[in-house]
């Protein structure tokens, strides 16, 4: 029914109700008064008053299929005000008021107008109930019988686009137990989840308590995953307040929900001011971090975004995605290896970007232990090439992505990233360009990270391999990592190493166990196997060394390390020897670790404090 037709029907029906109610009321009181001038005048007055008050209260602009107490209150207001106008009119014109007749008119008016409206909602609800009973789907338990849970239950019942059928609520409020809410029973508290799920043959669980703390949410997710494989969560409370709750807003539970901390936010204003309308270059733009960097940067509307990478397909993929989402940005692509010094100088000079975000690197620890030469070429020489090209072209800010493995490094990968940090800290001293580094821990879901490996092992039925039961790591999400990098670019003054406060480190064993549970299995179904530590690995990682710690935060959740570093000559001496002669693998590893740990392997190395 379109809006004009609907409005016309309501106006006709309401006009009949208003006129009939006043005539019926007078007929009950004194049939001999009909027809009567007072009744005729009063009915016309009541009709006009009704539509005047209806206009000001937007009475005919309401969706009555969702009628509630608010709509009923509005009906009472409109009818009462209309009756009061008629009473005043009778008193002024005729000097008397037919109180009993007007009282009956008031009641009839409310009953009939309210009945027409609410009958539509009753019809719709019964229709939905009928279709819900007929609809075959997964029996769904909703955790949380509050406003979010009730909204979700109604949407699940009314939607034909989902195969989820709500069967009950679970809520810790014992006052709600055994009550019916939105037609569904509240079975009991969350700690009875297993027996309630068994009783109702639950196949799907949705957590609908957006106000839960992260700690409590972790506990509820863990409990839910023990009894049901399919667990989902409603979005944040802000989205509910803004009316964004829809079936499509429900998200699957992911490992990120068990990290025990809230995501780090951005200082939007400072970033927007520095990035909007500028030219930005991202190396390694096709990688996990690089591609997310490009997505995040694009939100701030740079004039040009240069996507630079070595793999043609990965660059093609991210370019295609960005072109479909951001039509007002010039995306440029460059297929080049950062080890190609001349080409890097040519590209940077050609585009003259305001920012370079250097994400190109080899990062896999065991692979780099077996290929130390390649780690030096990409992580050290590559960084040197891009940094010196930035200096020569007068780039405003250069942000290098580093790792927590660069702190007191024990691996080739960590050592090469620390040497790259040392290089950019030194070049910052004598360049107009601001050079900074950003350190963070393991990035969930990035290529080569532990989560995809665990998921693949679980998919194959196990075992899930963990190197050591006590091994701990810091974790962050890909969007968090990208935001930190962009924020560092906005905060950069030159020479800093930025570090994100990632809370307490997480045991790899706990991560594996939680991921097994999130996948709907128990430790009896999927075993965890300890394989022993690999070359270059440490039991724990650090974000800052003892001599780097600076306790003051420069921005919420972001610290700056005050780091000692080498002169550029020390790095160049090593690189000259590296390029002019072939090191034995073990010798190269020792030299890398000695330089990165401030040990005087070369006579010409000297340590300088900034």
């Amino acid at each position: 029914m379109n809006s004009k037709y609907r409005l016309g029907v309501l106006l006709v029906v309401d006009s009949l109700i208003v006129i009939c109610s006043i005539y019926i009321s007078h007929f009950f009181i004194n049939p001999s008064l009909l027809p009567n001038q007072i009744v005729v005048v009063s009915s016309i007055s009541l009709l006009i008053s009704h539509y005047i008050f209806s206009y000001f209260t937007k009475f005919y602009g309401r969706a009555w299929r969702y009628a509630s107490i608010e709509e009923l209150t509005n009906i009472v207001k409109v009818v009462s005000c209309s009756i009061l106008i008629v009473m005043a009119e009778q008193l002024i014109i005729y000097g008397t008021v037919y109180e009993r007749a007007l009282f009956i008119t008031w009641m009839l008016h409310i009953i009939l107008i309210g009945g027409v409206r609410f009958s539509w909602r009753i019809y719709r609800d019964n229709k939905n109930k009928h279709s819900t009973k007929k609809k075959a789907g997964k029996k769904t338990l909703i955790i949380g019988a509050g406003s979010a849970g009730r909204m979700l239950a109604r949407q699940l019942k009314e939607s034909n686009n989902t195969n989820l059928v709500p069967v009950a609520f679970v809520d810790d409020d014992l006052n709600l137990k055994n009550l019916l809410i939105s037609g569904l029973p509240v079975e009991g508290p969350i700690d009875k989840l297993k027996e309630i799920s068994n009783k109702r043959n639950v196949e799907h669980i949705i957590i609908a308590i957006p106000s839960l703390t992260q700690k409590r949410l972790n506990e509820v997710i863990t409990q839910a995953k023990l009894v049901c494989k399919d667990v989902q969560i409603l979005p944040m409370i802000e989205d509910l307040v803004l009316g964004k709750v829809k079936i499509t807003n429900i998200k699957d539970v992911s490992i990120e929900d068990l990290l025990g901390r809230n995501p780090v936010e951005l200082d939007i204003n400072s970033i927007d001011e520095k990035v909007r309308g500028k030219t930005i270059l991202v190396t390694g733009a096709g990688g996990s971090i690089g591609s997310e960097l490009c997505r995040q940067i694009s939100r701030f509307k740079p004039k040009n975004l240069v996507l630079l990478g070595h793999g043609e397909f990965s660059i093609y993929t991210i370019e295609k995605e960005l072109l479909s989402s951001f039509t007002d940005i010039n995306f440029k692509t460059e297929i080049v290896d950062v080890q190609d010094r001349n080409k890097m100088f040519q590209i940077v000079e050609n585009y003259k970007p305001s920012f370079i975000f250097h994400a190109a690197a080899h990062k896999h620890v065991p692979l780099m232990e077996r290929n130390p030469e390649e780690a030096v070429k990409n992580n050290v020489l590559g960084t040197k090439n891009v940094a010196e090209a930035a200096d020569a072209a007068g780039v405003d800010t250069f942000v290098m992505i580093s790792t927590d493995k660069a702190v007191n490094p024990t691996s080739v990968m960590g050592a090469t990233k620390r040497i790259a940090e040392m290089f950019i800290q030194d070049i910052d001293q004598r360049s107009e360009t601001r050079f900074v580094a950003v350190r963070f821990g393991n990035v969930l879901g990035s290529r080569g990270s532990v989560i995809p490996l665990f998921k693949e092992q679980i998919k194959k039925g196990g075992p899930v391999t963990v190197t050591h039961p006590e091994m701990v790591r810091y974790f962050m999400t890909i969007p968090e990592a990208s935001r930190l990098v962009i924020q560092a670019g906005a905060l950069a003054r030159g020479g800093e190493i930025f570090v994100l406060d990632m809370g307490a480190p997480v045991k790899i064993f706990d991560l594996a166990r939680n991921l097994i549970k999130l996948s709907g299995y128990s430790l009896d179904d999927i075993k965890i196997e300890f394989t022993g530590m690999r070359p270059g690995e440490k039991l724990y990682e650090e974000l800052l060394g003892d001599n780097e710690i600076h306790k003051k935060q420069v921005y919420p959740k972001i610290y700056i390390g005050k780091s000692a570093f080498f002169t550029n000559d020390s790095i160049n001496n090593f690189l000259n020897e590296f390029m002019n002669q072939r090191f034995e693998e073990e010798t190269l590893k020792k030299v890398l670790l000695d330089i990165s740990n401030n040990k005087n392997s070369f006579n010409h190395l000297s340590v300088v404090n900034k």
Side-chain angles (χ1 to χ4, degrees):
M1 187 185 295
N2 65 48
S3 58
K4 288 184 179 179
Y5 181 71
R6 170 183 168 278
L7 178 61
V9 170
L10 286 175
L11 290 174
V12 171
V13 171
D14 287 356
S15 297
L16 290 173
I17 288 172
V18 172
I19 293 170
C20 289
S21 62
I22 197 166
Y23 274 89
I24 291 171
S25 65
H26 280 81
F27 177 80
F28 282 138
I29 299 300
N30 190 350
S32 63
L33 288 175
L34 297 174
N36 182 288
Q37 182 189 13
I38 295 177
V39 178
V40 173
V41 173
S42 296
S43 63
I44 294 171
S45 176
L46 183 62
L47 190 62
I48 294 170
S49 301
H50 170 83
Y51 286 122
I52 290 173
F53 287 114
S54 295
Y55 173 78
F56 285 111
T57 58
K58 295 182 172 58
F59 189 66
Y60 289 98
R62 295 174 181 266
W64 293 98
R65 61 180 289 192
Y66 303 114
S68 63
I69 295 298
E70 182 183 348
E71 279 68 35
L72 179 60
T73 303
N74 197 54
I75 290 172
V76 173
K77 285 179 181 178
V78 169
V79 174
S80 299
C81 290
S82 302
I83 293 293
L84 288 173
I85 293 295
V86 173
M87 289 177 67
E89 174 251 346
Q90 286 182 353
L91 185 63
I92 293 168
I93 297 176
Y94 303 104
T96 185
V97 175
Y98 292 92
E99 297 97 340
R100 288 189 298 162
L102 288 178
F103 178 70
I104 294 172
T105 302
W106 179 79
M107 285 195 299
L108 288 172
H109 202 160
I110 289 174
I111 291 168
L112 293 173
I113 285 185
V116 168
R117 267 65 174 182
F118 281 89
S119 62
W120 179 241
R121 172 168 178 178
I122 292 167
Y123 165 74
R124 295 287 302 189
D125 286 349
N126 285 334
K127 184 179 178 183
N128 288 332
K129 264 185 202 174
H130 182 64
S131 63
T132 301
K133 287 177 184 176
K134 290 173 65 178
K135 184 172 73 171
K138 291 184 177 180
K139 293 182 178 179
T140 301
L141 188 68
I142 299 174
I143 298 179
S147 58
R150 294 196 298 272
M151 291 169 66
L152 175 63
R154 179 179 292 182
Q155 287 186 2
L156 287 174
K157 285 181 177 182
E158 293 178 356
S159 174
N160 294 319
N161 300 321
T162 177
N163 68 337
L164 304 181
V165 180
V167 294
F169 287 106
V170 170
D171 199 287
D172 283 336
D173 187 348
L174 296 180
N175 294 322
L176 299 178
K177 188 177 180 182
N178 299 325
L179 296 180
L180 286 175
I181 294 178
S182 299
L184 302 176
V186 182
E187 291 284 7
I190 296 172
D191 60 11
K192 302 289 184 183
L193 195 59
K194 187 172 183 178
E195 58 189 73
I196 294 169
S197 297
N198 292 336
K199 173 185 172 184
R200 291 281 176 177
N201 297 317
V202 169
E203 303 168 88
H204 196 97
I205 293 176
I206 301 176
I207 301 168
I209 317 177
S211 57
L212 280 180
T213 63
Q214 188 68 43
K215 182 180 178 182
R216 180 56 178 155
L217 177 61
N218 295 348
E219 295 169 356
V220 175
I221 289 172
T222 303
Q223 281 184 267
K225 272 294 182 180
L226 289 174
V227 299
C228 184
K229 184 176 180 179
D230 296 325
V231 179
Q232 293 182 304
I233 314 174
L234 273 186
M236 298 297 290
I237 191 67
E238 291 83 359
D239 294 331
L240 298 176
V241 172
L242 294 172
K244 295 180 181 177
V245 178
K246 298 183 185 300
I247 301 302
T248 52
N249 290 131
I250 304 170
K251 69 184 183 75
D252 291 330
V253 171
S254 62
I255 194 68
E256 289 92 332
D257 295 309
L258 298 179
L259 289 182
R261 60 180 177 80
N262 294 320
V264 175
E265 297 300 325
L266 281 161
D267 179 4
I268 299 295
N269 294 329
S270 68
I271 294 170
D272 186 85
E273 180 184 334
K274 289 179 179 289
V275 172
R276 184 176 292 273
K278 304 291 179 59
T279 295
I280 313 295
L281 187 149
V282 179
T283 71
S288 310
I289 303 299
S291 59
E292 181 63 22
L293 260 175
C294 294
R295 294 184 193 99
Q296 299 269 354
I297 290 168
S298 296
R299 292 169 47 205
F300 301 105
K301 306 297 181 188
K303 181 180 180 182
N304 303 297
L305 181 54
V306 184
L307 314 174
L308 187 148
H310 195 207
E312 60 173 338
F313 183 72
S314 59
I315 293 296
Y316 163 76
T317 302
I318 186 62
E319 180 196 28
K320 184 179 177 183
E321 177 190 331
L322 294 173
L323 284 171
S324 65
S325 302
F326 304 95
T327 56
D328 52 350
I329 299 173
N330 296 317
F331 294 104
K332 309 290 184 180
T333 56
E334 295 288 347
I335 307 300
V336 61
D337 191 331
V338 292
Q339 297 176 42
D340 187 337
R341 181 177 178 84
N342 292 335
K343 184 70 173 177
M344 283 309 308
F345 269 74
Q346 179 187 332
I347 289 172
V348 176
E349 179 61 33
N350 181 38
Y351 288 108
K352 291 191 179 299
S354 297
F355 285 83
I356 292 179
F357 293 99
H358 180 47
H362 287 325
K363 61 182 181 179
H364 196 275
V365 172
L367 277 178
M368 292 306 101
E369 288 300 306
R370 299 194 293 270
N371 298 276
E373 286 190 12
E374 294 307 309
V376 174
K377 289 176 186 177
N378 207 44
N379 294 356
V380 183
L381 280 173
T383 299
K384 180 176 183 290
N385 291 339
V386 182
E388 290 181 341
D391 174 47
V395 171
D396 181 77
T397 305
F398 176 99
V399 182
M400 169 197 155
I401 296 176
S402 188
T403 171
D404 55 3
K405 294 169 180 61
V407 182
N408 300 320
T410 58
S411 65
V412 167
M413 195 279 277
T416 55
K417 295 299 280 185
R418 175 61 192 134
I419 293 170
E421 285 182 359
M422 291 154 54
F423 179 84
I424 68 161
Q425 283 187 307
D426 177 71
I427 196 174
D428 177 74
Q429 282 193 315
R430 46 194 169 74
S431 173
E432 294 298 316
T433 299
R434 287 174 286 201
F435 289 88
V436 298
V438 179
R439 279 185 197 155
F440 41 71
N442 294 265
V443 181
L444 289 169
S446 63
R447 294 175 194 167
S449 69
V450 72
I451 299 299
L453 172 63
F454 284 172
K455 285 183 176 178
E456 186 64 28
Q457 290 174 334
I458 291 168
K459 187 177 179 181
K460 291 179 178 178
V464 173
T465 55
V466 176
T467 55
H468 193 284
E470 297 302 318
M471 183 169 285
V472 294
R473 291 291 183 268
Y474 290 98
F475 285 95
M476 66 196 307
T477 65
I478 292 176
E480 269 187 317
S482 302
R483 290 170 193 156
L484 174 62
V485 173
I486 301 170
Q487 187 73 72
L491 296 172
R493 293 183 179 177
E496 302 100 331
I497 294 178
F498 290 91
V499 174
L500 179 71
D501 177 4
M502 290 185 284
V506 178
K507 270 191 177 182
I508 302 297
F509 173 77
D510 291 341
L511 197 66
R513 181 178 58 188
N514 289 335
L515 192 55
I516 290 170
K517 291 178 181 177
L518 281 174
S519 302
Y521 300 102
S522 70
L523 293 183
D524 293 327
D525 302 320
I526 305 288
K527 302 293 184 184
I528 295 178
E529 189 176 281
F530 297 105
T531 58
M533 291 176 63
R534 298 172 296 185
E537 281 191 325
K538 294 191 287 187
L539 270 182
Y540 62 93
E541 300 289 1
E542 307 157 277
L543 293 169
L544 290 170
D546 292 337
N547 63 330
E548 297 177 315
I549 295 173
H550 193 300
K551 293 183 178 180
K552 185 179 178 182
Q553 295 182 7
V554 292
Y555 185 78
K557 298 291 184 181
I558 297 179
Y559 294 88
I560 289 180
K562 47 181 183 181
S563 185
F565 61 94
F566 288 86
T567 65
N568 200 30
D569 289 341
S570 51
I571 307 295
N572 284 332
N573 288 333
F574 161 66
L575 291 178
N576 286 335
E577 294 197 31
F578 173 79
M579 289 184 288
N580 291 328
Q581 64 172 307
R582 183 176 179 82
F583 283 82
E584 290 292 331
E585 190 171 290
E586 291 306 314
T587 303
L588 178 57
K589 287 182 183 179
K590 183 179 185 308
V591 170
L592 289 172
L593 291 173
D594 283 351
I595 295 174
S596 59
N597 284 291
N598 296 352
K599 293 180 181 177
N600 202 12
S601 291
F602 286 63
N603 292 330
H604 14 266
L605 296 183
S606 58
V607 178
V608 177
N609 287 311
K610 187 169 184 178

